[in-house]
Amino acid sequence: FVYGLIVLGSGSGTGFFIVWIGCAVAFVAIGAAGFFGLREKIPKTVKIIGSVAVLAGVVCFIFAECCIISKFDDKGQDDLDYIIVLGAQVKESGPSIVLKHRLNAAIEYLENNPDTICIVSGGQGYNEPYPEAQGMAEYLKSRGIDESRIIEEDKSLTTSENIKNSSEYIPDGAYVGIVTNNFHVFRVLLTAKREGLENVCGIAAKTTPIYLPNNMLREFFGIVKFLIMG
């Protein structure tokens, strides 16, 4: 419950903190059921089915998290033709901390690879004062990245749209890196391949440690949604 409040206070722009509050309520309910002897009244068959379902869920969760972690240290390749920086929330004061991590990773790559072009991708959400691409471009330019190396894609509202719309600026056969936070790289690469983007690799930016559990759990549901809905 406390962690859910911490996530709420982060101003992440999503309502995922409710999942942590829901988990707290569920744990209290399970504990109360045991305390009052209600679990003994549940039919054995129901208990077995429930246990198998929980075990299957845990196995799937562990497998998905291992896949996510496997991409934590991706650094891309040198001399890529393009990098795509995926958008995240922007505020009146500028990019959110999650987005700053992505932009700082992009800056490091661009400084080491002066011929690479950067596509900043992100539209304007209902709770944002301006398009994410605009805020990202301004941040990069303020850190010394030349405007001629920056392409703004300001229409996308989802990860899939980020990839699809950015691909319109990329010629066939180009080598591309996608910059996003470490917990997001695995699903992004799945999305890129589904969208037909070839010669693609991930460039992992760091994540603020205290929010990593929230991001990892949220990403698990993102992968499940991707597998079910494509």
Side-chain angles (χ1 to χ4, degrees), residues 160-179:
S160 180
E161 290 179 1
N162 287 141
I163 305 300
K164 184 177 180 179
N165 293 339
S166 296
S167 296
E168 295 179 3
Y169 297 95
I170 300 172
D172 292 340
Y175 286 80
V176 182
I178 302 178
V179 183

Side-chain angles (χ1 to χ4, degrees), residues 98-170:
V98 169
L99 186 53
K100 282 183 179 179
H101 287 318
R102 300 180 186 184
L103 292 168
N104 290 337
I107 291 169
E108 180 180 356
Y109 185 91
L110 292 170
E111 289 176 342
N112 293 329
N113 299 272
D115 294 326
T116 301
I117 300 299
C118 178
I119 301 173
V120 288
S121 177
Q124 182 175 1
Y126 74 92
N127 59 347
E128 295 176 311
Y130 46 81
E132 294 167 2
Q134 176 185 329
M136 295 158 74
E138 291 176 356
Y139 185 92
L140 292 178
K141 287 184 283 188
S142 71
R143 266 71 177 173
I145 303 301
D146 193 275
E147 184 177 0
S148 64
R149 300 178 66 192
I150 303 172
I151 297 174
E152 295 184 38
E153 186 289 293
D154 60 0
K155 298 294 187 291
S156 300
L157 298 177
T158 66
T159 299
S160 180
E161 290 179 1
N162 287 141
I163 305 300
K164 184 177 180 179
N165 293 339
S166 296
S167 296
E168 295 179 3
Y169 297 95
I170 300 172

Side-chain angles (χ1 to χ4, degrees), residues 4-229:
L5 295 181
I6 291 174
V7 173
L8 172 61
S10 71
S12 63
T14 74
F16 198 76
F17 71 93
I18 295 174
V19 173
W20 295 98
I21 304 298
C23 287
V25 172
F27 289 148
V28 169
I30 292 170
F35 182 80
F36 292 108
L38 299 178
R39 280 185 289 191
E40 285 70 21
K41 299 180 181 179
I42 299 175
K44 185 176 181 180
T45 302
V46 175
K47 287 183 179 180
I48 293 174
I49 294 174
S51 298
V52 170
V54 169
L55 179 60
V58 169
V59 170
C60 291
F61 178 79
I62 292 174
F63 179 76
E65 295 299 318
C66 288
C67 290
I68 293 170
I69 293 171
S70 72
K71 297 297 181 180
F72 261 40
D73 296 321
D74 279 16
K75 298 302 179 185
Q77 306 168 11
D78 292 334
D79 300 319
L80 292 168
D81 299 307
Y82 294 84
I83 60 171
I84 302 171
V85 187
L86 302 188
Q89 188 182 33
V90 293
K91 306 176 182 180
E92 287 287 355
S93 58
S96 61
I97 186 64
V98 169
L99 186 53
K100 282 183 179 179
H101 287 318
R102 300 180 186 184
L103 292 168
N104 290 337
I107 291 169
E108 180 180 356
Y109 185 91
L110 292 170
E111 289 176 342
N112 293 329
N113 299 272
D115 294 326
T116 301
I117 300 299
C118 178
I119 301 173
V120 288
S121 177
Q124 182 175 1
Y126 74 92
N127 59 347
E128 295 176 311
Y130 46 81
E132 294 167 2
Q134 176 185 329
M136 295 158 74
E138 291 176 356
Y139 185 92
L140 292 178
K141 287 184 283 188
S142 71
R143 266 71 177 173
I145 303 301
D146 193 275
E147 184 177 0
S148 64
R149 300 178 66 192
I150 303 172
I151 297 174
E152 295 184 38
E153 186 289 293
D154 60 0
K155 298 294 187 291
S156 300
L157 298 177
T158 66
T159 299
S160 180
E161 290 179 1
N162 287 141
I163 305 300
K164 184 177 180 179
N165 293 339
S166 296
S167 296
E168 295 179 3
Y169 297 95
I170 300 172
D172 292 340
Y175 286 80
V176 182
I178 302 178
V179 183
T180 189
N181 301 94
N182 48 18
F183 63 85
H184 195 212
V185 173
F186 176 75
R187 180 160 60 96
V188 164
L189 292 178
L190 290 179
T191 303
K193 292 176 181 178
R194 184 198 64 185
E195 294 294 339
L197 192 61
E198 300 178 353
N199 305 321
V200 64
C201 60
I203 301 175
K206 66 179 183 179
T207 304
T208 304
I210 193 171
Y211 302 126
L212 186 57
N214 181 67
N215 294 327
M216 295 289 282
L217 181 59
R218 186 166 179 258
E219 194 62 16
F220 166 72
F221 289 111
I223 291 174
V224 171
K225 180 181 178 181
F226 176 89
L227 294 176
I228 293 176
M229 300 179 63

